[in-house]
Amino acid sequence: MPFRCLAALLLASCSLGTAHAATLAAADMRPGLSLDGTWHYSVDPYRDGEAGFHGEEPGRASRRYADLDVEAAMKADPTALYEYDMDQSPTAALPSSWLTHAPEMRHYQGLVWYERKFDAQPKTGMRQFLRFGAVNYAATVWVNGKKVGAHEGGFTPFAIEVTGVLRAGENRIVVAVDSQASDTTIPPSVTDWENYGGITRSVKLIEVPATFVDTAWVRLTADGRVAVDAKLDGTNAANRPVSLHIPELRLTLNGKTGADGRWSGTIAPPRGLVRWSPDTPRLYDVTVAAGGDTLADRVGFRTIAVKGAQILLNGKPIYLRGMSVHEEEIGANPTRNITPETAHQLLSVLKDGLHGNFVRLAHYPHSDVMTREADRMGLLVWSEIPIYWRVAFDNPGVLARARAMLAEEIERDRNRASIIIWSVANETPTNDARNKFLFTLADDVHRLDPSRLLSAALLTGRRTVDGHPEMVSDDPLIGRVDVLAFNTYNGWYTSDKLADVPNITWHVPADKPLIFSELGADAKAGFRDPQTMRKESEDYQAEYFRQTLKMADKVPTLVGMSPWVLKDFRSPRRQHPVFEAGWNRKGLISETGEHKQAFAVLADYYAKKAAEAAK
Ligand code: GCB
């Protein structure tokens, strides 16, 4: 079967969880031929490249397919008419969003064609896959004129098998990328962030033996053993010897796959194992080998659990000193190209500048470059899928897509010690269809990864008790999550006076840990207004933080927060000409990295929390 995909539920040829679905989800460390770099691109607002001259079904009118190699075709028939030619189209460096390819692309949403040629030397008996880190939002891929696969979902990896299609010598790859959001995409069209269309993460050609180690989940169990779950792919996947090695621990575990190509085992680690934590982000080289194939990873070992209203990291209560971030590099004109350097720069602002130990990667799975950097630097991570505001909860196709995204996210990142929370939704108004939808996702999280905590950023209600405002929620998801999380904006989106915010109380279950998954206020960097204290001034934002932190101190079950947001981020819905101009300004730093006054307020607060934790 030439085409394998991660969006397994979407396509009849793939089904989630079958032993034969080769995913290469966690293959970012596999060696391969990088296809990053210069590609040609061509915008196609009327979707011509997919249709005939009058917009009819492809196949009727020839010569309009953007997947055709015009250069080669012209050699065969120099008088033929072609109204496109990818090889002569403009170029851009990938990965990056097309929003920054050219000024006229800045607000483009829709279909764009990408093309490049590359040399390959596929080895006989081996299998070749194209692995895309992420394409936003829908991708269709052709190799040498043959359609090899498709994927939907802008933030998770997918691999397409090209064995037999790839030639020795020059090959041509064409990717049709469609960023158009709709009522049935995830997320739908209305959000509060930029829709960065394009091939936004790395593309790689990976060659593996006929039977290879597709996935290997390696972790510490709640009772302190090293556990491995590996899955082989290929005709010889069954009854195959497999082994786990962690050289620095002198640890080896041998086993054999079952009839389904899977192997699970556990072993007690040696005493010398250093547990991963934000203070000691120790990672170990790990390999899982079977036959001629070895899958390598860098893995940290830690436990995460909930006890009453506490979160326990390695058995000890921890307070999460966090921030939310969008996937946008610091700089005036971000293009969503997260490199180790840009990830490090962002996360250092949080870890070193704010004394943080926790990051909410909002509102979709961020690049694996980012989650690896969090592992390396020692930051705990909340990871989520873009079930945001209003999703078509009553549509079974949308549920299938959400489940596929969740599975792709978990499969890619479950070896990251940094990730402690999988979140299934953000601010989704309750109703029967939504509840059922999210219960399904909650069950999926528990089934796919029972070793981590489940959460969702929930909305609150409000009531008045003895003249005082009280935050409440009757969201049925409260009963399902391990960690309660609420977004709260009293004094920003509400008419509360900031001085009254500390008196707002929280009516929440006493036996569950609570975090404020968001709190925040806009401020335009450099706009000072200490007298009038207008909203959008740095002074108002700083005071908002002071008063909200006082409120937080009075909530006994609160074990952390991820205020909104580390850096100002692009949002087309934010169009106040003076203060916003296309940016959500709730950052503690501006888009170019200037600190606002509130930065120091939170940095002091977290420094105190860190000192208390160190006692
Ligand atoms: C929220 C959303 C976040 C927005 C933020 C805001 O509650 O979760 O995506 O950007 O508020 O700035 O309003």
Side-chain angles (χ1 to χ4, degrees):
M1 188 166 70
F3 164 41
R4 308 291 177 111
C5 71
L6 280 175
L9 291 171
L10 304 177
L11 292 142
S13 56
C14 310
S15 67
L16 192 64
T18 62
H20 299 295
T23 66
L24 290 171
D28 63 319
M29 278 183 59
R30 274 196 181 269
L33 174 71
S34 170
L35 296 180
D36 294 347
T38 306
W39 289 58
H40 293 278
Y41 70 91
S42 175
V43 281
D44 189 0
Y46 285 1
R47 297 171 189 281
D48 255 5
E50 287 183 326
F53 191 80
H54 298 111
E56 64 271 38
E57 289 294 299
R60 295 272 187 80
S62 59
R63 298 186 183 139
R64 295 195 62 81
Y65 303 112
D67 59 305
L68 191 78
D69 189 339
V70 173
E71 198 186 11
M74 290 294 285
K75 275 189 197 141
D77 180 0
T79 64
L81 169 67
Y82 293 100
E83 295 196 70
Y84 66 89
D85 184 348
M86 290 302 297
D87 288 325
Q88 300 196 58
S89 292
T91 58
L94 299 187
S96 66
S97 167
W98 66 59
L99 299 189
T100 52
H101 287 356
E104 64 274 18
M105 299 282 282
R106 172 62 189 90
H107 295 288
Y108 184 78
Q109 298 295 340
L111 185 62
V112 175
W113 296 84
Y114 284 94
E115 183 247 28
R116 70 165 285 170
K117 291 178 173 161
F118 62 95
D119 285 334
Q121 294 302 332
K123 289 199 193 97
T124 317
M126 303 283 277
R127 294 165 69 189
Q128 294 80 31
F129 289 84
L130 286 169
R131 181 181 187 271
F132 293 81
V135 176
N136 188 27
Y137 170 78
T140 312
V141 183
W142 290 259
V143 172
N144 299 328
K146 186 174 165 35
K147 187 171 175 172
V148 287
H151 179 262
E152 185 172 340
F155 303 99
T156 42
F158 58 98
I160 295 174
E161 184 157 9
V162 291
T163 313
V165 183
L166 203 70
R167 298 194 280 248
E170 189 177 83
N171 289 268
R172 182 169 180 270
I173 175 171
V174 170
V175 186
V177 183
D178 196 342
S179 72
Q180 189 59 58
S182 74
D183 288 351
T184 55
T185 54
I186 303 173
S189 24
V190 177
T191 67
D192 188 21
W193 71 87
E194 187 69 70
N195 192 26
Y196 282 96
I199 300 178
T200 54
R201 296 183 194 155
S202 287
V203 189
K204 212 193 255 184
L205 176 70
I206 294 175
E207 189 169 65
V208 288
T211 296
F212 64 95
V213 185
D214 185 18
T215 59
W217 182 18
V218 181
R219 67 202 176 276
L220 201 63
T221 60
D223 57 358
R225 292 175 72 79
V226 170
V228 56
D229 291 282
K231 183 183 78 154
L232 307 193
D233 186 273
T235 43
N236 285 325
N239 306 315
R240 211 46 204 255
V242 198
S243 57
L244 165 77
H245 296 284
I246 309 178
E248 287 158 285
L249 294 174
R250 295 205 181 85
L251 184 149
T252 297
L253 179 64
N254 294 311
K256 205 172 181 196
T257 56
D260 58 358
R262 290 171 191 267
W263 167 57
S264 298
T266 71
I267 183 171
R271 277 171 192 277
L273 174 91
V274 177
R275 291 209 178 186
W276 185 99
S277 76
D279 295 332
T280 54
R282 180 75 160 90
L283 300 175
Y284 292 90
D285 283 318
V286 167
T287 58
V288 173
D293 190 42
T294 300
L295 184 66
D297 207 345
R298 296 269 299 156
V299 178
F301 296 95
R302 53 102 190 100
T303 61
I304 191 76
V306 152
K307 190 173 165 210
Q310 291 179 326
I311 295 180
L312 306 180
L313 177 71
N314 294 322
K316 291 196 205 99
I318 184 153
Y319 184 91
L320 303 176
R321 308 186 303 271
M323 255 349 258
S324 298
V325 282
H326 264 292
E327 186 173 316
E328 251 187 24
E329 57 275 38
I330 298 173
N333 195 20
T335 188
R336 188 168 283 167
N337 173 16
I338 299 296
T339 62
E341 294 72 36
T342 53
H344 185 79
Q345 198 187 10
L346 265 175
L347 295 181
S348 301
V349 174
L350 169 54
K351 174 128 191 175
D352 305 334
L354 286 168
H355 314 287
N357 63 5
F358 172 59
V359 62
R360 176 181 178 199
L361 298 179
H363 278 302
Y364 37 76
H366 284 219
S367 165
D368 40 18
V369 173
M370 185 71 102
T371 51
R372 285 221 179 258
E373 192 58 23
D375 253 21
R376 221 184 50 75
M377 289 175 65
L379 277 163
L380 299 159
V381 171
W382 157 308
S383 177
E384 66 192 82
I385 52 170
I387 303 296
Y388 183 89
W389 290 353
R390 309 178 74 81
V391 169
F393 289 117
D394 52 3
N395 181 321
V398 174
L399 177 61
R401 268 197 286 290
R403 297 183 72 190
M405 274 182 200
L406 184 65
E408 289 165 2
E409 174 199 38
I410 292 178
E411 192 151 296
R412 189 194 75 176
D413 267 356
R414 61 193 168 169
N415 281 0
R416 299 286 74 74
S418 52
I419 299 182
I420 55 167
I421 293 172
W422 300 121
S423 166
V424 291
N426 179 73
E427 291 187 352
T428 47
T430 59
N431 59 51
D432 287 349
R434 172 272 193 189
N435 299 343
K436 225 174 128 207
F437 188 106
L438 294 189
F439 286 175
T440 304
L441 295 183
D443 290 346
D444 280 355
V445 169
H446 282 140
R447 184 172 47 81
L448 294 169
D449 182 5
S451 79
R452 288 184 174 80
L453 310 177
L454 167 71
S455 194
L458 304 178
L459 292 161
T460 50
R462 188 174 162 132
R463 66 184 182 197
T464 304
V465 180
D466 297 333
H468 286 294
E470 185 174 79
M471 309 309 289
V472 289
S473 172
D474 58 2
D475 191 324
L477 212 61
I478 288 177
R480 302 275 178 127
V481 296
D482 302 309
V483 177
L484 270 178
F486 290 111
N487 295 350
T488 176
Y489 286 93
N490 294 305
W492 179 254
Y493 286 125
T494 68
S495 56
D496 295 291
K497 296 261 171 299
L498 287 182
D500 296 335
V501 169
N503 299 325
I504 297 172
T505 53
W506 284 75
H507 183 79
V508 286
D511 58 350
K512 273 208 181 179
L514 168 70
I515 61 180
F516 288 152
S517 32
E518 286 179 33
L519 59 96
D522 288 65
K524 172 125 170 72
F527 173 44
R528 302 280 156 82
D529 191 19
Q531 269 81 42
T532 320
M533 292 290 278
R534 269 172 295 179
K535 283 187 173 172
E536 307 282 356
S537 68
E538 285 197 27
D539 309 83
Y540 189 92
Q541 188 194 39
E543 187 61 12
Y544 168 92
F545 268 85
R546 278 183 213 107
Q547 299 304 335
T548 304
L549 294 174
K550 279 189 200 158
M551 175 187 78
D553 282 338
K554 294 183 181 168
V555 186
T557 56
L558 192 81
V559 294
M561 58 179 76
S562 45
W564 197 254
V565 58
L566 185 66
K567 180 187 83 68
D568 289 356
F569 59 96
R570 277 191 181 147
S571 174
R573 68 186 284 132
R574 306 285 173 174
Q575 290 301 345
H576 188 285
V578 178
F579 298 119
E580 300 175 332
W583 295 88
N584 181 312
R585 296 277 181 214
K586 292 189 187 69
L588 292 186
I589 61 173
S590 72
E591 71 275 23
T592 53
E594 296 159 86
H595 287 199
K596 304 179 192 173
Q597 280 182 24
F599 189 99
V601 176
L602 191 66
D604 287 351
Y605 185 79
Y606 281 170
K608 282 190 199 111
K609 287 276 182 197
E612 277 165 28
K615 271 185 207 156

